[in-house]
Amino acid sequence: MTKLKLTYFDFHGGRGEPARLALSIAGIPFEDDRVQFTDWERRKVNTPFGALPVLEVDGQILAQSNAINRYVGKLASLYPSDPWQAALCDEAMEAVEDITNKIAATLFLPEEEKKTQRNALVEGQLPFYLSRLQQRLEAHGGRYFAADRLTVADLKVFVWIRQLKSGVLDHVPTDLPDRIAPKLVEHYERVKNERGVKAYYSTHGAG
Ligand SMILES: N[C@@H](CCC(=O)N[C@@H](CS)C(=O)NCC(=O)O)C(=O)O
């Protein structure tokens, strides 16, 4: 059997969580290697691009979250086999990457600067991505982002909305998704209530 080790930081959410979810939903065994921030500097040098997540597959290394999501999505039957549906799945995942990069750019700013830039995101890019993702969801039937079934795209969007609603991002109101994109929040609830997703958070804590 293929030996999998998924390395990511030790918190809920972020770029590593969709792959953790996909493997768990499918019941595929993997080593869940959770890096402490205090250990990161030492481990960073051994990653292909100085960043996480990283997936080790029988000793071979794969980096870049969406490459990992596609690979584990295929193993977990959570990635469409039809090329067009696969492209729609990719589209949603790349859109989440775009907005994730904009949020990530504010993470380590001095407090006043962070507040200014987060407020700008709340006025501009966050509602933009929320409403455009909602439009794409509705354009493809309203339930899932591709193939009318759960895929890694749904997991990635779910993880992002979960982050916004959790309050972990200072200066970003937790009701922003509800105000801007109620259909996306319905989608978030749909994914949250998937049996495998519920089982994952009951095992790992809702945090
Ligand atoms: N394009 C990369 C970005 C990876 C990335 O920036 N990961 C962040 C965590 S979500 C990280 O490792 N940050 C620590 C660092 O850059 O030192 C991907 O999609 O995997």
Side-chain angles (χ1 to χ4, degrees), residues 8-9 15 40 44 50-53 64-66 97:
Y8 192 61
F9 295 106
R15 291 182 174 98
W40 173 230
K44 186 177 169 82
L52 296 177
Q64 297 294 345
S65 58
N66 283 343
E97 267 310 294

Side-chain angles (χ1 to χ4, degrees), residues 97-110:
E97 267 310 294
D98 286 353
I99 186 63
T100 298
N101 285 328
K102 292 177 201 299
I103 296 167
T106 68
L107 282 179
F108 302 107
L109 293 174

Side-chain angles (χ1 to χ4, degrees), residues 25 27 36 73 81 99 123 129 133 152 160 192:
I25 289 169
Q36 305 303 318
S81 50
I99 186 63
E123 293 304 314
Y129 276 88
L133 274 166
V152 281
W160 180 51
K192 190 173 123 188

Side-chain angles (χ1 to χ4, degrees), residues 53-129:
V54 161
L55 181 70
E56 201 177 302
V57 183
D58 283 339
Q60 304 219 73
I61 300 287
L62 178 66
Q64 297 294 345
S65 58
N66 283 343
I68 293 171
N69 291 338
R70 275 186 284 277
Y71 178 73
V72 302
K74 287 170 192 168
L75 298 184
S77 300
L78 290 170
Y79 190 75
S81 50
D82 174 79
W84 177 246
Q85 296 302 327
L88 294 179
C89 180
D90 291 350
E91 179 196 78
M93 293 201 293
E94 296 304 336
V96 176
E97 267 310 294
D98 286 353
I99 186 63
T100 298
N101 285 328
K102 292 177 201 299
I103 296 167
T106 68
L107 282 179
F108 302 107
L109 293 174
E111 186 47 39
E112 268 314 297
E113 182 60 16
K114 182 190 279 186
K115 189 173 175 187
T116 306
Q117 293 209 15
R118 291 263 170 98
N119 286 340
L121 284 176
V122 168
E123 293 304 314
Q125 291 293 299
L126 285 169
F128 177 81
Y129 276 88

